Amino acid sequence: MKKILLLLLFFLSSPLFAQNDDKLFERLISVDLKDGVKQEGVLSLKNQTSKPTRLVVILPGYPSVVRPVVENNVMTSSQLTGNFLIRARRHLIDNQIATLIVDCPSNSGAKCESFYQASLQRHEDVVKLVLEVKKLNPTIQQIWLIGTSMGTISSAFMPTYQPSIYAGTIHTATITEPYAKNSYRELGDFDYKKITIPQFFIHHREDPCPITTYSGAQSIANKYKLPLITVEGGGEFKGDACKAFTQHGFAGREKEVMSVVKEIINTGKITNHVINH
């Protein structure tokens, strides 16, 4: 009997059991746009009985096309599983905070074009998805936007169209060099003063991507007097400079970054401008 109890205690404390216990409750949300086009997203809750008060709308990076597969209330696969915001969402979600991973419409092809991400249409399509989520979860009181890399086109433009919908917006690894390599000209000379809700920048000091430079993030934050949270360190970096597992994607600092994001969403402010441990 003693041996059985010891084995049971070992099992309960094992990493495998902890992972299963930490599993999110997820569902695919879909709304019809027009001409048979669908707008989809993945709603992630702490558990099936959660009554969140805040919804964080996740706007992932390049190519911003997710195409998620949800089975048995778990997102089992997608085209962007490695994306920083998608892989780190579990560090953000709790009984008060839910997330909504936003896909590009079903007719977008392999890339969610930057002109669309900057458009009023993008805002309207995402709002339809958000309203569907709120029907299912009427306890939601605040909607926050968070974008990363290419997704910061949306996190910048969307709140300019109907700011009353959103409580705030967070730009991570934001596009700072929109004319480099003829990349994302929609953000060229973008006036961040047009965003009238609270906004925050989170950027790695050693971001190696030539279109998301740290010096550029500093310039934007200084020019518009906006808060910049600087991330340092991390580890196990791999892949191309603008991919998700370099400093650009906050590899090795996911939990710490999401802790700051959670503070922003819960309080509307930050207490620490540097993440280095």
Side-chain angles (χ1 to χ4, degrees), residues 2-47:
K2 185 176 180 181
K3 183 179 290 186
I4 292 173
L5 287 173
L6 287 172
L7 287 171
L8 180 60
L9 287 171
F10 174 78
F11 173 74
L12 291 175
S13 62
S14 71
L16 178 61
F17 185 86
Q19 286 178 358
N20 290 337
D21 188 53
D22 192 43
K23 188 165 64 175
L24 300 173
F25 179 83
E26 300 183 302
R27 62 188 299 176
L28 185 69
I29 310 296
S30 180
V31 294
D32 293 323
L33 299 179
K34 59 181 180 180
D35 300 325
V37 176
K38 291 186 177 297
Q39 171 66 66
E40 293 187 335
V42 177
L43 173 66
S44 302
L45 303 171
K46 183 67 174 176
N47 54 60

Side-chain angles (χ1 to χ4, degrees), residues 163-175:
S164 61
I165 289 180
Y166 308 110
T169 187
I170 303 169
H171 319 291
T172 72
T174 194
I175 304 295

Side-chain angles (χ1 to χ4, degrees), residues 235-249:
E236 299 186 13
F237 306 125
K238 60 184 179 181
D240 295 336
C242 298
K243 297 297 184 181
F245 288 97
T246 66
Q247 294 93 328
H248 177 70

Side-chain angles (χ1 to χ4, degrees), residues 18-209:
Q19 286 178 358
N20 290 337
D21 188 53
D22 192 43
K23 188 165 64 175
L24 300 173
F25 179 83
E26 300 183 302
R27 62 188 299 176
L28 185 69
I29 310 296
S30 180
V31 294
D32 293 323
L33 299 179
K34 59 181 180 180
D35 300 325
V37 176
K38 291 186 177 297
Q39 171 66 66
E40 293 187 335
V42 177
L43 173 66
S44 302
L45 303 171
K46 183 67 174 176
N47 54 60
Q48 190 170 3
T49 60
S50 294
K51 295 182 178 180
T53 59
R54 294 165 176 82
L55 179 68
V56 181
V57 176
I58 289 177
L59 304 160
Y62 183 88
S64 301
V65 176
V66 185
R67 304 300 183 249
V69 175
V70 176
E71 301 172 312
N72 299 318
N73 300 119
V74 176
M75 188 172 77
T76 55
S77 67
S78 82
Q79 293 184 19
L80 280 176
T81 301
N83 178 265
F84 159 63
L85 291 176
I86 293 177
R87 73 174 189 265
R89 70 193 185 282
R90 65 181 57 254
H91 300 305
L92 177 60
I93 297 165
D94 59 24
N95 289 328
Q96 297 298 313
I97 298 174
T99 65
L100 175 65
I101 301 168
V102 173
D103 201 354
C104 208
S106 57
N107 65 341
S108 66
K111 179 182 175 183
C112 198
E113 297 291 346
S114 56
F115 67 83
Y116 167 73
Q117 293 210 48
S119 69
L120 173 62
Q121 189 64 55
R122 169 68 157 176
H123 160 73
E124 292 176 343
D125 293 346
V126 174
V127 166
K128 288 179 182 178
L129 200 63
V130 168
L131 291 177
E132 184 66 21
V133 170
K134 289 188 72 175
K135 285 182 187 177
L136 299 170
N137 299 269
T139 56
I140 292 173
Q141 300 169 9
Q142 289 188 357
I143 310 297
W144 281 79
L145 298 172
I146 184 167
T148 197
S149 196
M150 187 186 191
T152 61
I153 300 172
S154 291
S155 65
F157 275 92
M158 284 173 56
T160 67
Y161 296 119
Q162 201 173 358
S164 61
I165 289 180
Y166 308 110
T169 187
I170 303 169
H171 319 291
T172 72
T174 194
I175 304 295
T176 60
E177 317 300 329
Y179 296 112
K181 299 182 178 179
N182 292 319
S183 52
Y184 305 118
R185 296 191 173 192
E186 291 78 9
L187 282 175
D189 300 319
F190 181 79
D191 183 3
Y192 285 89
K193 287 182 180 178
K194 294 195 301 184
I195 300 176
T196 56
I197 58 175
Q199 58 180 317
F200 302 82
F201 291 86
I202 303 177
H203 218 97
H204 200 291
R205 191 183 297 277
E206 298 177 359
D207 189 327
C209 184

